[in-house]
Amino acid sequence: MAARRNLVNANRDMFKPPTFVSNATALNRLQNKLRRFLDLQAGSIWRDLRHELATARGNLLDVGCGAQVYRCLLPPAASYRGIDAADAKGRFGYDVPDTHYFVADEWGVADASCDILLFTEVLEHIADPAAFLARARRCLRPGGRVVMTVPFAARWHYIPEDYWRFTPSGLARLLDGAGFDQVDVRARGNPLTVACYKLMALPLMMIGQSNLLVRGLGGLLLPLVAVVAAIGNISMVWDWGDDCLGYTATARAKL
Ligand SMILES: C[S@@+](CC[C@H](N)C(=O)[O-])C[C@H]1O[C@@H](n2cnc3c(N)ncnc32)[C@H](O)[C@@H]1O
């Protein structure tokens, strides 16, 4: 049997998708739209947040905001503030003006000062998610809401800064323990969506290989990506099964 890698000290992704760009220009917006069609994770998050944020009111804090791609979904009744870890640029490739970059988990946010806390695809990168959620709870006024997304069937990414995958029951326990109630966890996609997502990754992985034959085969398979992406996008109208791309969760800070 071929020797398998000990992954404990891995520090490099095999495949790194381009980071999102902010929605500043029409070209950026077009780029992000195309990305959301081809990247089923990103597309499914966008769809859920478009719905979740449509009725947002008051102060919204986006923690680990990256390129602030969901900021444009906020209605005028909500004000936006984006914060991110100071090493977001070095580790994740994000460096966006109008973001407060903090060090050592000192968010610089007053207790009970926020109406909504948003964090998308952040919790899996946090070494101590329970402490992170407790801090999030303190920033929210009682009755305020948290809106979050986490990946489930996703590659190990930003290696090694990707520590966890969460299940609905795990999220419910964590949120309850941090002082939240009215927990709601919805799956993004289903087993068919996951199959499409994995299938689409294959040609891209093959193209990244050094073996010319594998690369050539990957190139030949590339046109299939658009067809599978279309099927994957359509598949998301059905809610079934116990596998999915990820979860969108909301909860209320206990009164
Ligand atoms: C996969 S990116 C997601 C970015 C953005 N939320 C999005 O959905 O496009 C993960 C983000 O988590 C942030 N992050 C990592 N560690 C963090 C921490 N301890 N506190 C807050 N954010 C953190 C990273 O800087 C990065 O912006």
Side-chain angles (χ1 to χ4, degrees):
M1 193 167 77
R4 285 175 297 149
R5 300 161 297 157
N6 175 0
L7 297 170
V8 166
N9 294 316
N11 60 5
R12 203 164 57 90
D13 295 29
M14 182 177 163
F15 166 74
K16 220 171 200 163
T19 43
F20 269 102
V21 290
S22 70
N23 283 308
T25 66
L27 183 63
N28 292 158
R29 286 192 288 279
L30 187 67
Q31 262 175 285
N32 282 340
K33 209 172 182 160
L34 182 65
R35 166 80 182 269
R36 287 196 296 274
F37 172 73
L38 292 172
D39 178 342
L40 299 177
Q41 287 278 6
S44 68
I45 294 169
W46 178 269
R47 267 180 281 239
D48 274 10
L49 292 188
R50 196 168 50 191
H51 169 73
E52 285 298 337
L53 299 180
T55 54
R57 299 269 177 285
N59 299 326
L60 179 141
L61 181 70
D62 186 356
V63 186
C65 61
Q68 302 187 355
V69 281
Y70 306 108
R71 181 177 187 162
C72 58
L73 294 175
L74 281 188
S79 66
Y80 178 93
R81 184 176 176 204
I83 65 172
D84 208 334
D87 52 4
K89 184 173 165 50
R91 294 194 301 160
F92 294 87
Y94 292 117
D95 185 14
V96 176
D98 198 17
T99 293
H100 167 64
Y101 288 102
F102 58 85
V103 284
D105 288 338
E106 292 296 333
W107 292 3
V109 177
D111 284 0
S113 62
C114 304
D115 297 287
I116 304 176
L117 238 84
L118 175 69
F119 36 93
T120 53
E121 311 299 274
V122 172
L123 204 62
E124 75 276 16
H125 299 291
I126 307 292
D128 186 345
F132 179 92
L133 288 173
R135 190 172 297 117
R137 167 68 188 86
R138 282 198 299 279
C139 294
L140 278 172
R141 64 165 172 77
R145 276 198 320 141
V146 68
V147 177
M148 60 190 274
T149 69
V150 290
F152 184 66
R155 276 174 313 109
W156 191 22
H157 59 287
Y158 290 112
I159 297 170
E161 331 274 359
D162 178 11
Y163 306 111
W164 317 105
R165 290 292 173 270
F166 301 94
T167 61
S169 44
L171 286 172
R173 282 180 82 103
L174 277 171
L175 285 163
D176 179 58
F180 291 91
D181 62 9
Q182 297 187 354
V183 177
D184 187 294
V185 182
R186 311 271 165 171
R188 290 185 284 102
N190 54 55
L192 175 59
T193 326
V194 172
C196 292
Y197 180 63
K198 298 290 180 193
L199 207 56
M200 287 168 71
L202 201 62
L204 300 174
M205 300 271 180
M206 290 167 78
I207 285 169
Q209 298 298 305
S210 51
N211 183 309
L212 279 181
L213 187 65
V214 177
R215 280 168 79 156
L217 264 175
L220 286 176
L221 290 173
L222 211 51
L224 279 181
V225 167
V227 178
V228 181
I231 297 170
N233 276 288
I234 294 167
S235 75
M236 282 190 251
V237 300
W238 297 291
D239 183 26
W240 64 280
D242 300 326
D243 200 3
C244 63
L245 299 174
Y247 298 100
T248 300
T250 61
R252 183 183 72 162
K254 279 183 189 159
L255 295 170

